Amino acid sequence: MKFFEGLPIGAGWVPAERTETIRFPYDGSEVAQAPVGTPAQAHAAIDHAVAVAPKIAALSSRVRRSVLLRVHAAVLERQTEFENLLVLETGKPLVDCKVEVARTLVTLSAAAEEVARLHGETVPLDLLPSGDGLIGFWTRKPIGVVVGIAGFNYPLLLATHKIAPAIAAGCPIVCKPAPQTPLATLWLLHLVREAAEAEGAPAEIAQLVTGDASVGSALVTDPRIGAVSFTGSAAVGHRIARDAAPRKTLLELGSNAALVVAEDADLDAAADAVLRGGFYASGQACISVQRLIVVESVAPQLVSRVLDRLGEVVVGDPREEKTRVSALIDSKSTQRVLEWISAAQEAGARVLAGGFEVDGVIQPTVLADVPDGASCWDEEIFGPVVCLRTVSSVDEALDVVNASRYGLHASVFTRSLKTAFDAVERLQVGGVVVNEVPGFRSDVMPYGGVKDSGTGREGPRFAIEELTVTRMAVIRPA
């Protein structure tokens, strides 16, 4: 594809100094040669974005909405091609890549709808005598140039989570995809720029620079940007927040999501949630089930159900419709997960299933009695591993969930409204899901975390507001 041959910087496409082979994680075969950018090209992209920012800010609501709808139509027309490309560059099972493209389409259409809802309101300035006769109102204005940096696990969707709100808000955006997965994002940028030009908007509304951490650093440290939106690890997110200060940072940094099973839970439904929520995307999802916290009175029954059905989690070629777990993004990630499993065993954990790899693919793994201090429990494993712990009560379970530096999503299985509302009130997370997987997410809801899981919220309505600033107007009629 021609748009893999350069980088969309400025109004056109510029050649890269070198290319890098993108390989299919499942068998190592070559997918494509991808352009690799440089810090100098990152600076050039910011130059162009700054220059065009006034034009983007001045685009009418009609044009911004039309650009997003054109992109939606273009992605929809190529839906199957995007799904297949995502399988090849991420190694994720086809079923998960289909979900990714579907969610991308929802994000684009929802962002287009939110353009019409971006408005301000009047302010009663005469609450003070000095305000008598004054008219006050505020509006929302674009925050300026946005830098969007996405992780490798959902490259198309995560890029869209940044591009669509930026366009809706009237901000030019410079994207940086993960080095392992630039292809679908390059294609998306091609479609965005085509849509912009078709509506009479500058192509520079969206630019992209690939490359390593030095490219990301060049982008986030530029004092001319208005905001950084980043999805990735906590360590990198913390560094970005420090480097970008005082510019605004929106950080979605992952978690070690918990699923609590109360004594009154529907155990069949809870077991189904563990199987669906623990292993989708081969476990490479920030809100996949990692910590399974079960009230001890029902733990044996739940564990039996999970282990009896574990064979339903089909392992193999991600191109096959039935596959649910396949190779991780690279061999380094696979080795890390295996090392964490081994370290957990040495610390006293028991392997109830899996714990090894076959032909480079980690088998669906269930660990029991993983202690605090083990990375499998404390950190985000990003692999097909679920860690089980039993507790005496739901009250204790909620405390265990909160005893983490992360707080993105958690779920609770219960038939009790009181338990459900207690969880909503007490859990220190960005989202509480009752009787569903913690990975349930609608792309129109406010999504984000607390503690080391980040700051800010995604979802078109909320992200658009994050990428605008209020401007107050105070008028004394002459």
Side-chain angles (χ1 to χ4, degrees):
M1 296 180 181
K2 67 178 182 180
F3 41 84
F4 294 168
E5 298 173 1
L7 295 169
I9 297 174
W13 288 68
V14 302
E17 293 183 2
R18 65 183 183 89
T19 62
E20 194 166 81
T21 303
I22 304 301
R23 297 192 179 279
F24 182 29
Y26 181 66
D27 63 13
S29 59
E30 180 176 331
V31 179
Q33 290 292 317
V36 179
T38 65
Q41 289 174 319
H43 288 304
I46 298 293
D47 290 341
H48 289 292
V50 170
V52 81
K55 292 182 180 179
I56 305 302
L59 291 175
S60 67
S61 301
R62 179 187 68 260
V63 168
R64 286 180 278 130
R65 179 177 181 273
S66 295
V67 169
L68 291 168
L69 291 176
R70 278 184 180 271
V71 179
H72 177 276
V75 174
L76 181 61
E77 183 180 346
R78 299 159 178 82
Q79 184 167 359
T80 300
E81 291 91 338
F82 268 112
E83 292 165 356
N84 293 333
L85 177 59
L86 286 167
V87 172
L88 293 177
E89 72 169 330
T90 68
K92 277 199 323 239
L94 177 60
V95 62
D96 299 306
C97 294
K98 288 184 174 183
V99 170
E100 178 172 0
V101 179
R103 289 179 58 190
T104 296
L105 290 166
V106 168
T107 299
L108 288 164
S109 60
E113 293 171 4
E114 289 298 332
V115 171
R117 303 186 181 103
L118 189 61
H119 53 74
E121 60 185 54
T122 58
V123 179
L125 299 179
D126 56 359
L127 289 173
L128 288 173
S130 59
D132 288 349
L134 293 178
I135 298 170
F137 63 90
W138 58 265
T139 58
R140 289 194 173 274
K141 297 296 181 182
I143 200 169
V145 176
V146 175
V147 170
I149 302 178
F152 67 80
N153 57 330
Y154 282 78
L156 181 69
L157 178 63
L158 296 178
T160 305
H161 280 166
K162 294 149 191 7
I163 294 168
I167 292 173
C171 300
I173 183 167
V174 179
C175 293
K176 181 189 175 299
Q180 307 99 313
T181 55
L183 303 179
T185 313
L186 277 163
W187 195 2
L188 176 65
L189 262 288
H190 171 68
L191 299 178
V192 169
R193 289 157 68 92
E194 280 193 334
E197 291 182 312
E199 292 294 333
E204 299 96 318
I205 196 169
Q207 301 174 83
L208 183 147
V209 187
T210 54
D212 59 17
S214 66
V215 172
S217 179
L219 293 172
V220 304
T221 57
D222 195 302
R224 298 170 295 171
I225 65 174
V228 177
S229 179
F230 169 77
T231 302
S233 71
V236 175
H238 295 169
R239 185 165 66 247
I240 286 174
R242 291 191 297 269
D243 290 347
R247 267 72 59 189
K248 188 172 189 177
T249 51
L250 309 174
L251 307 173
E252 197 277 273
L253 304 180
S255 193
N256 53 359
L259 185 153
V260 172
V261 181
E263 63 270 19
D264 62 350
D266 180 333
L267 297 183
D268 288 327
D272 183 73
V274 173
L275 296 171
R276 287 188 293 116
F279 304 111
Y280 75 97
S282 303
Q284 296 174 120
C286 53
I287 42 179
S288 64
V289 177
Q290 182 172 332
R291 295 184 296 157
L292 176 59
I293 304 166
V294 187
V295 174
E296 58 192 3
S297 62
V298 296
Q301 300 97 299
L302 179 73
V303 171
S304 176
R305 284 168 167 79
V306 169
L307 296 182
D308 286 348
R309 293 183 54 194
L310 198 59
E312 298 174 16
V313 183
V314 177
V315 180
D317 190 329
R319 293 166 293 193
E320 299 294 333
E321 292 276 357
K322 294 182 179 180
T323 299
R324 295 297 179 268
V325 168
S326 192
L328 301 186
I329 188 66
D330 53 35
S331 58
K332 181 180 178 181
S333 297
T334 301
Q335 186 59 36
R336 176 190 55 77
V337 172
L338 292 172
E339 289 173 356
W340 282 17
I341 293 171
S342 178
Q345 288 181 268
E346 292 174 4
R350 296 179 292 121
V351 177
L352 303 184
F356 57 92
E357 56 89 13
V358 176
D359 296 329
V361 178
I362 298 175
Q363 304 303 290
T365 298
V366 180
L367 304 177
D369 306 324
V370 181
D372 291 335
S375 294
C376 278
W377 185 265
D378 288 359
E379 300 300 328
E380 183 176 43
I381 195 163
F382 238 55
V385 180
V386 173
C387 301
L388 166 73
R389 183 178 293 185
T390 60
V391 293
S392 60
S393 65
V394 171
D395 188 64
E396 182 185 353
L398 300 183
D399 288 339
V400 171
V401 175
N402 287 339
S404 170
R405 71 187 183 102
Y406 295 109
L408 193 49
H409 268 206
S411 67
V412 178
F413 275 74
T414 179
R415 289 185 170 93
S416 164
L417 276 176
K418 181 182 184 303
T419 299
F421 279 102
D422 282 348
V424 170
E425 289 299 315
R426 287 180 53 191
L427 288 178
Q428 299 164 8
V429 294
V432 178
V433 185
V434 179
N435 294 330
E436 247 302 343
V437 294
F440 175 82
R441 177 179 176 185
S442 167
D443 291 281
V444 296
M445 70 190 200
Y447 176 77
V450 299
K451 301 191 283 189
D452 277 5
S453 286
T455 59
R457 291 296 179 265
E458 292 184 341
R461 172 188 169 188
F462 309 94
I464 292 168
E465 290 190 356
E466 297 272 17
L467 298 181
T468 61
V469 292
T470 60
R471 180 173 298 170
M472 186 65 205
V474 177
I475 301 171
R476 185 178 296 279

